[in-house]
Amino acid sequence: MSVTINAHQLGLLIDKTIGHIGGEYTAPLNGIRLDVDTTFLYAVASDRYTLAVARYRLLHDDQGGQPFARLIPGEYLPSLREWVSSQTGSTYISISAEDHYVEFGGTHTELRIGVDPGLEYPDWRGLLRTITEHTVEGEPFPALSAGFMTRWAATGDNLRVRVTAAQKAVLVFGEDFIGAQMPVRYAGVGPMKDETFDAVRRQWDKTLAAGAEGLDMATDMPDEEDRPRYEVTTDVYETGEALLQQVLRSGIDMHGKSSSAPDEFLAHINAGVHGWMAYRFLDALHTADPRFARAIAAEVADELDSGEISEFAWDAAKEAGHNPQQWHDEYEAYRKTRKAEKTAA
């Protein structure tokens, strides 16, 4: 199982898709999938929210080979991209897939990367097939400059997009933000030089026809694996979601424990109350200054991951003019009293 591609084209496939790979807790998506059929070599990447596919038409000699697909793990992609860059752009690289590794062969060197052939990758052909079969009134199909699209990242927000017409500006809406991006003149995709959506879609019909019908990225992508308990999200929206979940779970857990386990009952109350307080403060901060809220969420995540929050709290209390030693002594006295009461009971 082997195909051939020049170094420049392989580098392009990686560059076009590497920004879309999933994180380490979604193993089937944590990398770039090299997928070969009888006509093309595809590079596929997804983080569950975006899905990117770049393709390269195989040389004539390769077009009778056996199809294969392997996920190149994300941890090896920088090394692979560096190795590809070390090759002359016109140098042809062979890509061979074995059970547990993929080998890249250059003129003077080779690179072998271990892979897991058992990882189940989403049916990307089926997902894109379903999306391309969606219809909208008027079929607006503007061409947008990718270079201009990166400018919207500075909003740091979830943006709504409204496509108005094929050759008219695309509207962008955010939190207290509105913008527009003009389409660019476009001569078509590949040799067809045609601007219509149907004409462009037909170029992918053979590829996407191999996918299942009716798939949906919202339900047919791999779920993220549970983070280790010490891993904290740096995303402000995920932080808010986790706080709300804590409040609701604490409310469920405290029922029936007021008399049977008063300490546990009080712990659930405290967890719920403090979770709600933290959510409300985070929500207010995000409303006042979304960028600062994101920075604080990331900073707090790092502090929690360090495992030193007791030390941080002690220092913060002293800086605020409180007496943490007195708090410590009073709580120790309370614990001794509670222990004595339990022993006497």
Side-chain angles (χ1 to χ4, degrees):
M1 295 184 287
S2 176
V3 294
T4 305
I5 181 175
N6 74 46
H8 173 71
Q9 293 293 337
L10 178 56
L12 282 179
L13 291 183
I14 296 172
D15 293 343
K16 288 180 178 180
T17 53
I18 194 170
H20 298 267
I21 68 172
E24 61 180 310
Y25 300 114
T26 315
L29 300 181
N30 183 223
I32 292 177
R33 181 178 174 88
L34 298 181
D35 199 326
V36 175
D37 60 21
T38 57
T39 308
F40 294 98
L41 164 63
Y42 305 91
V44 187
S46 177
D47 57 5
R48 298 170 64 230
Y49 305 104
T50 65
L51 173 58
V53 181
R55 71 184 183 184
Y56 169 79
R57 184 178 290 276
L58 296 172
L59 302 174
H60 179 74
D61 293 343
D62 287 327
Q63 292 183 2
Q66 184 178 358
F68 67 85
R70 297 289 189 276
L71 183 79
I72 307 300
E75 61 185 304
Y76 300 129
L77 288 174
S79 298
L80 172 60
R81 188 63 183 91
E82 184 177 351
W83 181 84
V84 171
S85 297
S86 71
Q87 312 296 312
T88 303
S90 59
T91 298
Y92 279 99
I93 294 174
S94 64
I95 305 176
S96 304
E98 303 298 336
D99 285 343
H100 295 282
Y101 66 86
V102 174
E103 185 172 278
F104 299 86
T107 304
H108 303 293
T109 61
E110 296 178 345
L111 178 66
R112 182 177 292 185
I113 294 178
V115 298
D116 181 356
L119 285 177
E120 279 193 38
Y121 201 80
D123 182 354
W124 62 268
R125 292 174 173 85
L127 291 167
L128 289 171
R129 173 182 177 177
T130 302
I131 295 170
T132 59
E133 289 172 351
H134 293 166
T135 58
V136 292
E137 185 178 352
E139 296 289 350
F141 192 45
L144 301 179
S145 166
F148 292 154
M149 291 174 70
T150 59
R151 299 179 183 183
W152 304 112
T155 64
D157 207 347
N158 293 328
L159 299 177
R160 290 176 178 265
V161 178
R162 172 77 170 182
V163 178
T164 57
Q167 297 302 321
K168 300 297 182 180
V170 172
L171 284 171
V172 178
F173 295 90
E175 189 73 26
D176 293 319
F177 181 87
I178 184 173
Q181 180 169 328
M182 280 295 294
V184 295
R185 295 179 60 84
Y186 194 56
V189 177
M192 294 184 67
K193 306 303 179 188
D194 199 320
E195 293 186 351
T196 68
F197 174 75
D198 286 339
V200 174
R201 183 180 62 181
R202 282 196 294 271
Q203 296 185 63
W204 288 87
D205 279 351
K206 182 177 179 182
T207 294
L208 303 184
E213 295 183 1
L215 298 188
D216 190 332
M217 285 184 65
T219 57
D220 294 303
M221 297 292 276
D223 291 329
E224 184 180 42
E225 299 173 10
D226 290 337
R227 288 187 179 91
R229 296 183 66 87
Y230 57 84
E231 285 284 348
V232 185
T233 178
T234 60
D235 183 88
V236 68
Y237 298 103
E238 291 183 0
T239 300
E241 179 184 19
L243 290 171
L244 290 175
Q245 287 184 1
Q246 175 183 311
V247 174
L248 296 176
R249 289 172 181 170
S250 296
I252 294 172
D253 290 339
M254 71 180 183
H255 286 299
K257 293 187 172 63
S258 58
S259 58
S260 61
D263 289 344
E264 189 175 346
F265 175 74
L266 181 60
H268 289 309
I269 290 179
N270 285 333
V273 168
H274 294 145
W276 179 246
M277 291 170 62
Y279 172 77
R280 292 287 284 127
F281 294 150
L282 178 63
D283 184 54
L285 178 60
H286 188 263
T287 300
D289 191 339
R291 183 175 298 182
F292 188 52
R294 288 190 294 273
I296 288 296
E299 185 178 322
V300 170
D302 288 340
E303 292 171 346
L304 293 174
D305 280 339
S306 75
E308 299 175 353
I309 57 174
S310 294
E311 289 84 350
F312 295 150
W314 187 282
D315 293 339
K318 292 181 67 175
E319 290 175 7
H322 302 298
N323 187 344
Q325 184 62 55
Q326 180 182 348
W327 294 347
H328 175 270
D329 295 341
E330 289 175 349
Y331 188 63
E332 284 295 321
Y334 166 77
R335 291 179 60 192
K336 290 180 180 178
T337 300
R338 288 289 295 158
K339 184 178 180 180
E341 290 176 350
K342 289 182 178 180
T343 301

